[in-house]
Amino acid sequence: MEINPAMLLWSLINFVVLFLLLRKFLWRPILGILEDREREVTENLSRAENAREEAVRMKEEFERRLAEAQRRADEIISKATRKAEEMHNDLTEKAQAEAAAILERAQASIQREKEEAMAELRDQVADLAIEVAGKVLGRSLDDQDHNRLAREFVAQVGEAR
Amino acid sequence: MEAMNGFLLAAEAGHTGPVAKAQPLFQLFGLDVTSPVITEWFVMALLVLLAALATRRLQRIPGRLQAAIEVSVNFIVDSVVAPSIGSREKAIRYLPLLGTFFFFIIISNYMGLLPGAVLHLPGFKPPTSELSVTAALALIAFFATHYAGIREKGLHYFAHFLQPFPWLLPLNIVEELVRPLSLALRLFGNIFGGETVLWVLLSLVPWFIPIPIMGLEVFFGFLQAFIFTTLTSVYIGAATAESH
């Protein structure tokens, strides 16, 4: 149980030697590589974090652009629709106006022709009536009478109508 | 019972077994070389060889040996030293000393489990079953603690001897001196005791019966290395703590 000074001294020396050897062959290299690995892991983590942030940023950017594109597409479509409607309305109006004009012209023309026909009819009816009357009266009226009578007759016929 | 008494008598006489006084086998540089010293050299050679092999080609993705050493080192840092010394940073700063304590003590303890150690083959005896060896370890722990304190805090380090009251100075000094004593005695007592139990058992019933005790010694060998390293970490942690 008593202390053996030589053994104590040897143990001190041995431990110090072992300490120095292990420091060189074990602790420094191992701590070095553990530290390296830790640093690498930290770096990788921060790099991954950066990449994630970048991805989020890009996603937001794309979404923003997509929304912008969508908005512009909507705008273009609605503009086109509005234009088409306007054009449609214009054309319809124009067509209606044209149709109305044609109708009016046609009616005017019909009216004119009718009036012309009526006038011609009136002349012919007058001539015929004079002729019939002359034949009835047995004599022919001179031109002056003829004209007067015809006008009177026509006027009467016109009133009668 | 007779046989038991015989062993104990022989033990008391100090002729055989773990109790036997270490006889000088030869001298080196004028110093007696005894069996535990030779075993220390063996332990040192084993540790340095393993360390050199494991760290010869360190790789980022470790091979088996490197992985085993890394796991051990991480265990010592995170589970043994860091909780006692206060911080992981400090644990790494004092790892070379504390880790060497741990490896040297645990392998020395396990030397007692090898065949021949207990029955005292010449030149082969677990170093930590010798008080002279554990005393040397405790002395190194003692001086390392105060060296660390002075290195980190300068002369201010000595102020803690006067705390919490100056008149406690003698008690504080006694406490500091008792620490290495308890470190040395605890380690020696546990390993020596285990060796003695194993020796008695092996002498009485060499087959099978000692196996559970050997299993227990595997645990105790680890536990004592753990305790020695943890306590030294606590002492160094306290000596280098920020002034309170």
Side-chain angles (χ1 to χ4, degrees), chain B residues 80-96:
Chain B
V80 184
V81 179
S84 336
I85 207 165
S87 71
R88 195 166 194 277
E89 186 213 346
K90 236 185 220 179
I92 284 173
R93 194 181 319 153
Y94 292 101
L95 182 66

Side-chain angles (χ1 to χ4, degrees), chain B residues 39-186:
Chain B
T39 314
E40 279 178 11
W41 292 339
F42 177 69
V43 171
M44 290 162 69
L46 190 71
L47 284 174
V48 172
L49 187 73
L50 268 178
L53 278 178
T55 60
R56 192 178 39 166
R57 273 195 305 270
L58 281 176
Q59 315 217 308
R60 259 187 346 181
I61 295 152
R64 274 189 203 180
L65 187 58
Q66 191 189 332
I69 294 284
E70 280 183 17
V71 167
S72 316
V73 169
N74 275 329
F75 169 77
I76 293 174
V77 170
D78 292 325
S79 304
V80 184
V81 179
S84 336
I85 207 165
S87 71
R88 195 166 194 277
E89 186 213 346
K90 236 185 220 179
I92 284 173
R93 194 181 319 153
Y94 292 101
L95 182 66
L97 178 71
L98 297 165
T100 306
F101 270 137
F102 187 84
F103 279 145
F104 179 72
I105 292 172
I106 193 170
I107 301 299
S108 294
N109 294 349
Y110 286 166
M111 285 297 120
L113 293 172
L114 295 180
V118 166
L119 297 177
H120 201 33
L121 210 67
F124 195 30
K125 186 171 192 296
T128 39
S129 69
E130 283 286 342
L131 185 58
S132 309
V133 176
T134 60
L137 295 175
L139 277 178
I140 288 167
F142 176 80
F143 285 113
T145 303
H146 297 294
Y147 171 73
I150 293 167
R151 198 182 66 166
E152 296 210 5
K153 296 169 77 176
L155 287 178
H156 187 68
Y157 168 68
F158 293 104
H160 87 270
F161 284 102
L162 301 176
Q163 279 164 351
F165 307 108
W167 49 266
L168 281 177
L169 175 67
L171 209 58
N172 282 332
I173 289 175
V174 168
E175 190 198 351
E176 294 292 338
L177 294 177
V178 162
R179 282 172 173 180
L181 197 65
S182 78
L183 278 180
L185 287 175
R186 181 185 306 106

Side-chain angles (χ1 to χ4, degrees), chain B residues 1-13 15-16 199-200 204:
Chain B
M1 213 50 217
E2 295 252 321
M4 187 79 183
N5 281 335
F7 279 116
L8 290 181
L9 281 176
E12 269 167 30
H15 292 316
T16 177
W199 168 65
V200 169
L204 292 175

Side-chain angles (χ1 to χ4, degrees), chain A residues 106-123:
Chain A
Q107 275 172 347
S109 146
I110 287 167
Q111 185 68 32
R112 203 174 51 244
E113 300 219 343
K114 192 177 136 194
E115 272 167 18
E116 274 170 16
M118 286 287 280
E120 202 169 321
L121 200 59
R122 242 179 254 137
D123 287 349

